[in-house]
Amino acid sequence: MSQVHLGHIFHIAGSPVTGEVADALVAEPDGALVIDDGGRIAYCGNRADIPAGYRAEKVFDHRPGFLLPGFVDTHIHFPQTFAGDAYGGGQLLEWLERCIYPAESRFAEPEFAQLAATEFCERRVAAGTTAAMVFGSAFPHAQDALFAETQRRGLRMVSGRGIQTTGEKSAAPLLTTEDDAIRLTGEEIGKWHAADTGDVGTALLHVAVVPRFSLAVTRETLKNLGELYDSVRDRGVYFHSHLNENNRPGTGEVDSTKQAYDVATYLDTYDGKFLPGSAEGGKSLLGRRSILAHCVHCQDVELRRMAETGTSIAHCPVSQQFLGSGTMPWKRTIASGVTVAAGTDFGGGDEWLIPQVLSAAFKVHISEPGEDGVSMHPAEMLFTGTLAGARALDMESRFGNFDLGKEADFVVVDPARVPSLESALAQGIRSEDSALARDQTLFALLMGLREPAIAEVYVRGRRIDLH
Ligand code: GUN
Ligand code: ZN
């Protein structure tokens, strides 16, 4: 049966290019969203204009609440479900060695992994994250638990086991042989890619090839993964990893990677050019279904190559603040034409909620020095947390906004559940200029949103239970 949802609607319509989304913002204060019985958007507009055929359908009145597209988290770590706010006394590499590798090693225990899968999905629903690129556990049983739980709840997910073939002592439980790295990844693709419908065009579940980062694998791993990825690309399999996150001089991730591989750019290692001097050694892992997290310290040549290949960025400013990784230059990165979507990077980030990532993005980018500083438009924030995520996942034609025919992924926000949000919306200053007043309301909503205000979550028109 079709459904009618009433509320104050915001979404980014159409398919605007990154950096030009303000004109695509749609606001319907007295809005209605009609979902057909296939879970697709049949109407989005003013309540008074609901097509006659749908007027008699079941009505869910969320007023004075808001209806927003479901949030898309393009980078989050399943095996760090319990590792948020872990103190390691250092930046990325110390934190990985002292906190994260030990925390992820606990997933060797199947019962613990199951507990984490349940908790992870609960947190996702509570945060209104309807679609996510999930950096997976090294352990196949943990990935089975995650996929099974995600399917049971009806959430969208791309995930793949985290691949590590080399590393320090504390990473030992997470390492496999070169052969097992390829075998286990191939098995995960065979078992879970489009497992729910058998068709990649309709599936909610997808698999990614996920080397942790170049420092956690070898040239041999990258060569073998390139071949594996090349053989499954046309089935819509994804690639996911980290890039240019920590640039502490000499000993940080970026310099260590360039030294270890003797390459001109970090990106070369994922682009088949992982031999000394950036010589070609294998096939590229970049493409329209490739997402790289962070990209804080990219050279122009790297941004150009990402744009050329359709590779996207998962922007994770909450994590970058937590780990002291710096600030991704917003203007320069957007100007390169690369799609920039939002990622929590939980537990490098300590927030599950994408609007909190957008809030951090606003704050760090307005604080960039001199001419680089930018006051993000609220529409750009909404875009980054919704439609840009769908685009980064190469599924923009399926979800991400309320265009007719799209699969209806949305959240209902009830400001009354968060008094500070409710009062900011009710009493905050609003311009006499109606367009600016609209933008101010959206800004207050995104900045002030907290998890308890996420009242209901829908994927493909189906309401998702929290438990
Ligand atoms: N680089 C390699 N592994 C990780 C991780 O787990 N988190 C973050 N933020 N960066 C990484
Ligand atoms: Zn990460």
Side-chain angles (χ1 to χ4, degrees):
M1 199 170 97
S2 46
Q3 317 156 37
V4 177
H5 293 267
L6 304 181
H8 188 148
I9 292 171
F10 281 114
H11 78 119
I12 305 298
S15 183
V17 291
T18 307
E20 292 177 20
V21 299
D23 291 344
L25 174 63
V26 170
E28 280 291 352
D30 193 11
L33 200 57
V34 180
I35 320 290
D36 70 19
D37 52 12
R40 291 174 188 277
I41 309 286
Y43 171 79
C44 172
N46 192 284
R47 183 167 60 95
D49 302 327
I50 297 175
Y54 291 110
R55 290 204 186 135
E57 299 295 349
K58 183 147 181 49
V59 173
F60 300 85
D61 191 350
H62 306 292
R63 292 173 296 169
F66 292 82
L67 305 173
L68 300 176
F71 301 121
V72 183
D73 188 342
T74 55
H75 183 62
I76 181 166
H77 291 261
F78 162 50
Q80 294 172 25
T81 296
F82 302 115
D85 287 325
Y87 176 71
Q91 295 188 342
L92 174 66
L93 297 182
E94 296 80 27
W95 170 80
L96 286 172
E97 187 185 348
R98 294 176 196 156
C99 304
I100 295 306
Y101 296 150
E104 296 196 2
S105 298
R106 297 178 73 193
F107 283 56
E109 170 56 52
E111 279 175 20
F112 189 78
Q114 179 58 58
L115 182 80
T118 306
E119 169 79 10
F120 181 83
C121 291
E122 252 178 54
R123 296 269 60 77
R124 262 193 69 180
V125 179
T129 298
T130 50
M133 170 65 92
V134 180
F135 202 106
S137 166
F139 303 105
H141 62 254
Q143 287 299 98
D144 287 346
L146 176 66
F147 273 109
E149 186 65 10
T150 303
Q151 182 170 19
R152 186 181 75 75
R153 288 168 188 264
L155 292 163
R156 268 182 219 280
M157 180 176 74
V158 182
S159 185
R161 61 176 297 274
I163 300 163
Q164 295 182 244
T165 52
T166 185
E168 49 271 85
K169 210 162 136 224
S170 75
L174 306 173
L175 306 190
T176 67
T177 63
E178 298 287 354
D179 284 352
D180 280 351
I182 304 307
R183 180 178 62 79
L184 294 173
T185 304
E187 285 175 6
E188 186 175 19
I189 294 167
K191 188 168 185 181
W192 287 110
H193 189 57
D196 52 324
T197 64
D199 171 5
V200 68
T202 58
L204 296 181
L205 303 180
H206 301 263
V207 174
V209 171
V210 186
R212 176 165 215 121
F213 61 166
S214 297
L215 287 176
V217 294
T218 66
R219 288 194 173 101
E220 185 180 348
T221 323
L222 289 171
K223 179 172 186 352
N224 294 339
L225 288 180
E227 269 161 35
L228 172 67
Y229 192 57
D230 206 51
S231 72
V232 294
R233 249 183 211 275
D234 62 356
R235 290 167 54 195
V237 172
Y238 291 80
F239 168 70
H240 188 42
S241 194
H242 296 92
L243 181 77
N244 286 325
E245 177 177 3
N246 181 287
N247 76 336
R248 191 172 54 203
T251 55
E253 173 219 19
V254 178
D255 279 357
S256 300
T257 305
K258 283 159 78 176
Q259 282 157 21
Y261 283 88
D262 187 14
V263 285
T265 75
Y266 189 161
L267 187 69
D268 283 342
T269 61
Y270 300 133
D271 200 14
K273 295 187 273 179
F274 47 73
L275 295 180
S278 291
E280 193 122 356
K283 299 216 154 58
S284 178
L285 293 159
L286 308 183
R288 290 179 61 82
R289 293 208 158 192
S290 303
I291 299 182
L292 292 169
H294 298 292
C295 303
V296 177
H297 310 288
C298 283
Q299 302 175 36
D300 285 339
V301 64
E302 294 178 291
L303 291 174
R304 267 202 301 279
R305 180 67 181 147
M306 290 175 74
E308 177 182 287
T309 55
T311 302
S312 300
I313 293 174
H315 180 34
C316 310
V318 172
S319 163
Q320 285 143 20
Q321 289 183 303
F322 182 77
L323 290 170
S325 305
T327 301
M328 187 194 80
W330 180 262
K331 279 191 189 170
R332 184 164 77 88
T333 308
I334 293 295
S336 73
V338 178
T339 296
V340 176
T344 59
D345 194 25
F346 199 91
D350 57 353
E351 292 285 351
W352 292 87
L353 192 68
I354 284 293
Q356 280 289 284
V357 174
L358 304 174
S359 163
F362 181 85
K363 292 168 188 164
V364 298
H365 298 308
I366 202 169
S367 304
E368 286 190 62
E371 292 290 298
D372 295 334
V374 56
S375 170
M376 286 177 76
H377 192 284
E380 201 168 21
M381 295 165 67
L382 180 63
F383 173 74
T384 304
T386 58
L387 191 61
R391 185 176 296 173
L393 290 169
D394 196 26
M395 287 193 272
E396 188 179 9
S397 61
R398 291 183 59 186
F399 62 92
N401 63 13
F402 297 145
D403 285 356
L404 293 192
K406 283 209 183 171
E407 298 170 30
D409 289 13
F410 64 101
V411 296
V412 178
V413 179
D414 179 2
R417 292 168 171 227
V418 174
S420 57
L421 174 63
E422 184 180 38
S423 54
L425 287 165
Q427 311 299 344
I429 200 84
R430 295 291 177 267
S431 170
E432 294 194 349
D433 174 78
S434 62
L436 181 55
R438 171 202 65 186
D439 297 345
Q440 289 170 328
T441 298
L442 176 59
F443 188 71
L445 177 64
L446 291 175
M447 297 294 284
L449 225 168
R450 298 292 182 273
E451 274 181 29
I454 309 276
E456 295 179 19
V457 178
Y458 291 78
V459 172
R460 208 148 63 186
R462 191 175 148 267
R463 187 173 165 179
I464 309 289
D465 293 330
L466 181 57
H467 301 290

